[in-house]
Amino acid sequence: MDHFRQAGLRARKEELERAARFGADHVFLFTGGLGDGERGLVAARRRAEDHIGRLLELARRVGVKLALEPLHPMLAGDRTVITSLTSANDLCDALGHGIGVVVDVYHVWWDERLEAEIMRAGRSGRLLGFHVNDWLLPTRHLLTDRGMMGDGIIDLKGIEVMMRRAGFVGGLEVEIFSTNWWARDPGEVMEIAISRCREIFGGPSHASYLSRVLDSAMTLRITAA
Amino acid sequence: MDHFRQAGLRARKEELERAARFGADHVFLFTGGLGDGERGLVAARRRAEDHIGRLLELARRVGVKLALEPLHPMLAGDRTVITSLTSANDLCDALGHGIGVVVDVYHVWWDERLEAEIMRAGRSGRLLGFHVNDWLLPTRHLLTDRGMMGDGIIDLKGIEVMMRRAGFVGGLEVEIFSTNWWARDPGEVMEIAISRCREIFGGPSHASYLSRVLDSAMTLRITAA
C-alpha cells in the first residue's frame, strides 16, 4: 500500500474512532467516482470494494457500522460507483457483518428491483436509514433541485410501506438538496416538511425533529414523539 | 378499450404502415412516463407492457420490428418507464419475436448489469442499434448537455467491444443532444464526430454518414465505406 493510501486510511480510522466516541450507530461511506482520466466503472468498482473491505475491518474494531448509500446513476462517475441497491446488497453480502444500507428515495425510486432489494436488505437486518424528498418534473439540476415531499412524482407512501414490511423501524429523514428550499426561512421549511410527512405517511402525530446543516444541505430527522 | 386509446392505436398503425412502405427495419418506441398525477412506476410499467404488446401485433402484421430504447433513470417519470436494458430484455422475452433493443451508451453506461444484458440481447438476436456520445463532468442539464465522444467519462471502446462480441454488426450512430453542439457549424460537428469515432473505435477508415435533424437533435450515422 502506498503512502497516500496509508495516510487516507489513518484519517478514516480517526473519523471512525470519533464516531465511536460519539456513540454513533453508523458512519456513511461514499465511494467517490472514477479516478482522474479513468474510464470504465468495472475497475473502479473493484477498487472501491477493496477499500471498503479495509475500512470495514477498522469499523468493526471500533464498534461502528458502515452505511452504504447507493446514489442515483446520474451521479455515477463523479460521486459514486455504487448506483443501485442491488450493488450495495451484493457488497454487503460479500463483506459480512458490520455494514448496511441507507435508502434514499431520490436515488432508487426508478429501479424495477426496488421492492425486491429493500426486502433483501431487510431480511439481512441491514436497513440503517430512510431518506425522503421528491423527484420534480422538470428537474433543473442534477444535484440541487430536489423537491419537497408531495411536490414530485415519487410514490413515497408506497416505498415507506416496503421499508416497514422489510422491518425498518427507524425514523424518516428529510433530505432536500435544493437551492429553492435553502433560500427559504428554515423554520418555515421545517413546518412544511413535517406537515407533508404527516399527510403522506399518516404520522407521527407529535413530531420531533433534528435539523442539520451539512454542506449547505438541510436535513430534518422526523421521529415519532 | 376507450375511444382515446383506439384513436391512438389507429395513429400508431398508420405510422407503422408508413415505415413499412419506406422499407424501415424497425421503428422506435418510447413508453412516455407516468400519467397526469400518477405515482408508482409499477402500474405504469404494466400499462406500458400491455400497450407495447398490442403495438407489436400491428408491427408484425406490417412486417416492421419495434425497437425499445431504455432511457437513463433520470428520465423516468416524464420520458419513459423502461430505465434499464434488463427491463427491455425482460419485455422482449415476454413478448416474443419482432421486438428488439437499441443501446445508447448515455442511458446505460452506469449499469453494473451492462455487459451481461448486452450479451443476453445479442444471444436473442435483438440488438437493433448502437448510439454513441459521452457523459460530461459536470453535466449541466438532464436533456441537452450530452458530450462529444472523448470529452466525457464513458468507456466507449469497452462498450463497443461488448456490442461486437454480442454479435452486433451495424454501424455507430452519433446522437448528441447538446445546446453546445447544436450551436456550432453542422459540417464542423460532423468532421469532429467522425474523427473522434476513428480515434476511439479504430475505424472505419473511410466513413460515410447520414445526418438527420430530429427535434433539433443532430444524429450522425457512421458506417464503414
Side-chain angles (χ1 to χ4, degrees):
Chain A
M1 207 181 334
D2 59 30
H3 173 74
F4 178 75
R5 281 206 194 159
Q6 277 188 335
L9 266 184
R10 202 157 45 233
R12 297 295 92 74
K13 184 161 174 281
E14 281 163 21
E15 286 169 21
L16 288 166
E17 285 167 348
R18 190 170 56 228
R21 281 199 304 279
F22 289 163
D25 177 67
H26 56 268
V27 169
F28 279 78
L29 184 156
F30 295 95
T31 68
L34 297 168
D36 235 14
E38 185 182 26
R39 281 150 198 276
L41 283 166
V42 176
R45 282 177 173 139
R46 214 170 294 138
R47 195 177 58 234
E49 290 174 18
D50 286 350
H51 286 191
I52 294 169
R54 243 173 262 138
L55 283 176
L56 183 55
E57 288 169 29
L58 297 177
R60 283 177 185 148
R61 231 173 287 155
V62 300
V64 174
K65 282 185 278 226
L66 293 183
L68 293 176
E69 182 180 343
L71 301 183
H72 195 283
M74 70 186 174
L75 304 177
D78 49 353
R79 302 269 162 164
T80 192
V81 295
I82 299 177
T83 51
S84 73
L85 262 179
T86 311
S87 292
N89 270 326
D90 287 349
L91 194 48
C92 290
D93 278 350
L95 293 175
H97 72 98
I99 185 166
V101 299
V102 169
V103 174
D104 184 320
V105 295
Y106 198 75
H107 297 305
V108 299
W109 72 280
W110 54 272
D111 195 338
E112 69 273 5
R113 304 164 290 181
L114 181 59
E115 182 161 17
E117 293 296 332
I118 286 177
M119 292 303 162
R120 178 183 168 198
R123 278 194 304 275
S124 303
R126 67 169 73 115
L127 285 170
L128 299 180
F130 183 36
H131 295 182
V132 296
N133 42 64
D134 216 334
W135 182 278
L136 298 178
L137 286 186
T139 289
R140 297 174 198 281
H141 192 279
L142 276 72
L143 290 171
T144 57
D145 194 27
R146 293 197 194 185
M148 177 63 71
M149 298 73 69
D151 289 346
I153 56 167
I154 300 179
D155 181 14
L156 293 166
K157 182 65 189 169
I159 299 177
E160 192 227 2
V161 167
M162 293 175 200
M163 291 291 290
R164 299 307 181 195
R165 268 203 220 126
F168 180 70
V169 293
L172 307 173
E173 258 178 276
V174 176
E175 188 178 65
I176 305 177
F177 292 80
S178 158
T179 44
N180 171 28
W181 289 100
W182 291 334
R184 293 176 65 166
D185 172 67
E188 187 197 8
V189 174
M190 285 184 197
E191 273 172 35
I192 295 172
I194 290 167
S195 127
R196 293 293 180 85
C197 280
R198 283 186 185 143
E199 279 170 39
I200 294 166
F201 303 109
S205 51
H206 303 281
S208 66
Y209 51 76
L210 167 73
S211 97
R212 289 184 284 157
V213 179
L214 285 169
D215 295 333
S216 74
M218 172 172 297
T219 303
L220 309 176
R221 175 168 294 174
I222 299 181
T223 51
Chain B
M1 204 179 342
D2 59 30
H3 173 74
F4 178 74
R5 281 205 195 159
Q6 277 190 336
L9 267 184
R10 201 158 44 232
R12 297 296 90 75
K13 184 161 174 280
E14 281 162 21
E15 288 169 19
L16 288 167
E17 285 166 348
R18 190 170 54 227
R21 280 200 303 279
F22 288 164
D25 177 68
H26 56 268
V27 169
F28 278 78
L29 183 156
F30 296 94
T31 68
L34 297 169
D36 235 14
E38 183 181 26
R39 281 151 197 276
L41 283 167
V42 176
R45 284 179 171 138
R46 214 170 295 138
R47 194 177 59 235
E49 290 174 18
D50 285 351
H51 286 192
I52 294 169
R54 242 173 264 137
L55 282 176
L56 183 55
E57 289 169 29
L58 297 178
R60 282 176 186 149
R61 230 172 289 154
V62 300
V64 174
K65 282 185 277 224
L66 293 182
L68 294 176
E69 183 180 343
L71 302 183
H72 196 283
M74 70 186 174
L75 304 177
D78 49 351
R79 303 270 162 164
T80 192
V81 295
I82 298 178
T83 51
S84 73
L85 262 180
T86 311
S87 292
N89 270 326
D90 287 349
L91 193 49
C92 290
D93 278 350
L95 292 175
H97 72 98
I99 185 166
V101 299
V102 170
V103 175
D104 184 320
V105 295
Y106 198 75
H107 297 305
V108 300
W109 72 280
W110 54 271
D111 195 339
E112 69 272 6
R113 304 164 290 182
L114 180 60
E115 182 161 16
E117 293 296 332
I118 285 177
M119 292 302 161
R120 179 182 167 199
R123 278 195 303 276
S124 302
R126 66 169 73 114
L127 285 170
L128 300 180
F130 183 37
H131 294 181
V132 296
N133 42 64
D134 216 333
W135 182 278
L136 298 178
L137 286 186
T139 289
R140 297 175 198 282
H141 192 278
L142 276 72
L143 290 171
T144 58
D145 194 26
R146 294 198 194 184
M148 177 62 70
M149 297 73 69
D151 288 346
I153 57 167
I154 299 179
D155 181 14
L156 293 166
K157 182 64 190 172
I159 299 177
E160 192 227 1
V161 168
M162 294 176 200
M163 291 290 289
R164 298 308 180 194
R165 269 203 221 125
F168 180 70
V169 294
L172 308 172
E173 256 178 279
V174 176
E175 188 179 65
I176 305 176
F177 291 80
S178 158
T179 45
N180 171 28
W181 289 101
W182 290 334
R184 293 178 63 167
D185 172 68
E188 188 197 8
V189 174
M190 286 184 197
E191 272 173 35
I192 295 173
I194 290 168
S195 128
R196 293 292 180 85
C197 280
R198 283 186 185 145
E199 280 170 38
I200 294 167
F201 303 109
S205 51
H206 304 281
S208 66
Y209 51 77
L210 167 73
S211 97
R212 289 185 284 156
V213 179
L214 285 169
D215 295 333
S216 74
M218 173 172 295
T219 302
L220 310 176
R221 175 169 293 175
I222 299 180
T223 51

